[in-house]
Amino acid sequence: MQSTHNLLLLKAIKKEPVHRTPIWIMRQAGRYLPEYITTKNKAGGFINLIRNPELACEITLQPLQRYNLDAAILFSDILVISDLLGMKLRFEENKGPIFDKTICSQKDLNTMTDVEDVDKLDYVFNTIKLLKNELYGKKPLIGFIGSPWTVATYLIEGNSSKKFSKVMLMVNEDETLMHNILNILTTASIAYLKKQIEAGIDVAMIFDTWGSLLKNELYEKFSLNYVRKIREALAYTNVPIIYYVRQTSEKINILKNLDVDVLGLDSTSDIGVIKKVIGNKYALQGNLDVNILKEEEKIIVKKVDETLKKYNSKTGHIFNLGTGITPDIDPNKVKLLIDILADISPKYNVK
Ligand code: CP3
């Protein structure tokens, strides 16, 4: 198999010089693409796609067939890890993930014994193997997990709650139970991510979307400490790690000491300010606001240029949006974004 080490994304992660800024897009395979909708409807829903390696592989590759993206990201979801806990996940159209039974007590946790039995997630590892074959060293493959905290918010709330009242109540009133849940999820996450690495992913991303709910010490205690445990357990591998959290700016003084290869930024954060704090410690990913893709070309050019100018360094930038791409984006605007970046980013990179 051809080596992937000299690909643009991996060079940018290592802060090596590149001739243009690499780009991939969170949720690049998804509902804004008509071919995704067609395959999903044929399969009978999202969960049927992610549990079927041939279909998950096909969907992962759809955006790469359309666009000159610099990475593929495994088509799956952070919540499939619930299979290791024996919790039944379903997705409802326009509602998102639903767990009919949630974690409310220590009793619920006591039933979770074989959380490292990762064979239950064989469909994910088989997708990775199919993808590695297809990508054949041409594009790197990003695998991922959710942070224990972010996954726990769904297991406790049972759905895409926008209020997070149950999980915040647990943080405030039953710290022990909260830590017990996070410990189990950390054990499961380590086993799961190790197996993704064994199956062939080139980069591992940790999505800590809802780390944004916690401030300062609470963020350290309930989210970051468990991310650190995962990081430590992966010290044996040189697969790089991207860590993403919303409200990145607010947390930058804690994050500046985090041992990761890349920090993913949300769109509310100023990449220039963050770059000044981080210096050359690790690469940065982001962070165009997805809504800019609803604007005309002139505005997109201006905003892309602004992002590159603010970053103001020749190495270590991976272009992305600050959140996942939404179903209301015109696929032609994604092509436009990629073309604009290819056009203007060389002047910010090494000749
Ligand atoms: O980025 C990628 O393309 C890789 C695949 C991927 C998905 N979800 C596919 C998906 C990844 C990395 C995720 C991560 C994920 N999943 C996160 C963290 C990142 C983030 O978006 O904040 C979270 C919180 C989830 C949980 C989840 N999955 C929710 C809340 C929802 C419903 C709401 C929504 O955003 O659509 C999903 C569904 C989901 N995951 C879809 C896709 C393509 C939509 C499925 C569909 O209805 O067709």
Side-chain angles (χ1 to χ4, degrees):
M1 188 163 301
Q2 209 174 318
S3 154
T4 46
H5 76 272
N6 61 351
L7 297 175
L8 219 52
L9 177 89
L10 302 179
K11 282 188 170 182
I13 291 177
K14 286 187 269 182
K15 292 170 281 167
E16 289 172 9
V18 286
H19 64 281
R20 65 167 173 85
T21 305
I23 177 169
W24 70 277
I25 294 173
M26 291 190 276
R27 296 274 173 102
Q28 62 192 22
R31 285 161 293 184
Y32 74 106
L33 290 178
E35 59 270 35
Y36 170 81
I37 302 286
T38 304
T39 314
K40 179 175 133 177
N41 288 345
K42 256 196 261 164
F46 173 61
I47 206 129
N48 293 345
L49 293 176
I50 58 182
R51 289 195 198 278
N52 178 319
E54 281 76 28
L55 291 178
C57 174
E58 181 189 319
I59 298 272
T60 305
L61 297 174
Q62 282 179 347
L64 284 93
Q65 275 141 12
R66 266 188 188 249
Y67 311 118
N68 187 20
L69 290 157
D70 293 297
I73 180 160
L74 169 71
F75 189 75
S76 181
D77 196 87
I78 60 167
L79 298 177
V80 300
I81 199 167
S82 56
D83 282 1
L84 302 184
L85 314 182
M87 291 183 68
K88 198 166 172 340
L89 167 67
R90 53 189 185 88
F91 281 85
E92 252 178 47
E93 205 59 42
N94 304 321
K95 275 203 188 147
I98 297 183
F99 292 100
D100 293 317
K101 266 196 83 209
T102 57
I103 306 179
C104 312
S105 67
Q106 184 60 43
K107 209 169 126 238
D108 297 329
L109 278 190
N110 293 344
T111 61
M112 297 173 185
T113 45
D114 302 324
V115 302
E116 290 175 279
D117 183 10
V118 285
D119 290 350
K120 290 184 184 132
L121 291 168
D122 259 350
Y123 57 92
V124 177
F125 313 126
N126 290 335
T127 306
I128 294 173
K129 286 176 200 156
L130 289 178
L131 279 167
K132 285 303 286 185
N133 221 18
E134 292 286 330
L135 295 165
Y136 196 66
K138 291 192 293 265
K139 300 276 159 132
L141 176 63
I142 304 171
F144 63 87
I145 53 167
S147 75
W149 166 258
T150 291
V151 173
T153 63
Y154 291 94
L155 301 180
I156 296 164
E157 298 289 336
N159 55 39
S160 281
S161 144
K162 294 276 174 289
K163 295 198 298 268
F164 300 97
S165 46
K166 291 185 195 155
V167 66
M168 292 317 286
L169 191 71
M170 202 182 287
V171 161
N172 291 319
E173 298 200 342
D174 198 348
E175 261 197 32
T176 309
L177 178 58
M178 193 70 235
H179 281 299
N180 289 347
I181 296 172
L182 293 168
N183 269 312
I184 285 187
L185 277 170
T186 302
T187 305
S189 302
I190 290 169
Y192 178 38
L193 195 49
K194 279 186 170 172
K195 201 71 196 280
Q196 288 190 41
I197 291 171
E198 210 181 293
I201 60 165
D202 300 292
V203 177
M205 180 147 170
I206 303 176
F207 285 91
D208 193 9
T209 307
W210 301 121
S212 57
L213 297 173
L214 301 168
K215 306 262 174 300
N216 307 321
E217 302 85 54
L218 290 183
Y219 172 57
E220 285 253 28
K221 201 158 128 187
F222 293 104
S223 182
L224 218 42
N225 277 343
Y226 294 94
V227 172
R228 288 198 184 100
K229 282 189 194 175
I230 295 170
R231 179 73 198 101
E232 281 158 22
L234 296 179
Y236 70 94
T237 159
N238 49 20
V239 167
I241 310 249
I242 308 174
Y243 172 75
Y244 167 86
V245 63
R246 291 208 189 146
Q247 308 292 328
T248 334
S249 281
E250 210 177 75
K251 303 184 148 40
I252 202 62
N253 282 322
I254 306 178
L255 291 172
K256 68 181 181 208
N257 299 316
L258 194 64
D259 175 24
V260 291
D261 301 277
V262 184
L263 179 66
L265 317 186
D266 75 343
S267 346
T268 67
S269 304
D270 184 317
I271 195 168
V273 173
I274 292 192
K275 176 68 180 158
K276 281 194 195 103
V277 178
I278 296 303
N280 220 22
K281 184 163 163 41
Y282 45 67
L284 297 182
Q285 175 175 286
N287 68 339
L288 191 77
D289 185 335
V290 63
N291 292 311
I292 300 299
L293 295 180
K294 295 176 190 161
E295 304 286 341
E296 57 182 289
E297 178 168 356
K298 212 168 64 200
I299 307 282
I300 305 178
V301 171
K302 182 167 163 266
K303 292 291 178 182
V304 170
D305 194 61
E306 245 172 55
T307 308
L308 295 169
K309 201 177 276 157
K310 278 186 188 165
Y311 183 76
N312 191 28
S313 168
K314 287 195 191 309
T315 57
H317 185 200
I318 298 144
F319 209 92
N320 206 315
L321 304 177
T323 52
I325 190 164
T326 45
D328 52 357
I329 298 300
D330 173 358
N332 294 323
K333 288 295 185 61
V334 174
K335 179 166 188 324
L336 186 62
L337 168 66
I338 294 169
D339 289 347
I340 290 169
L341 187 71
D343 195 29
I344 63 179
S345 73
K347 74 170 186 275
Y348 293 97
N349 286 286
V350 177
K351 304 269 163 337

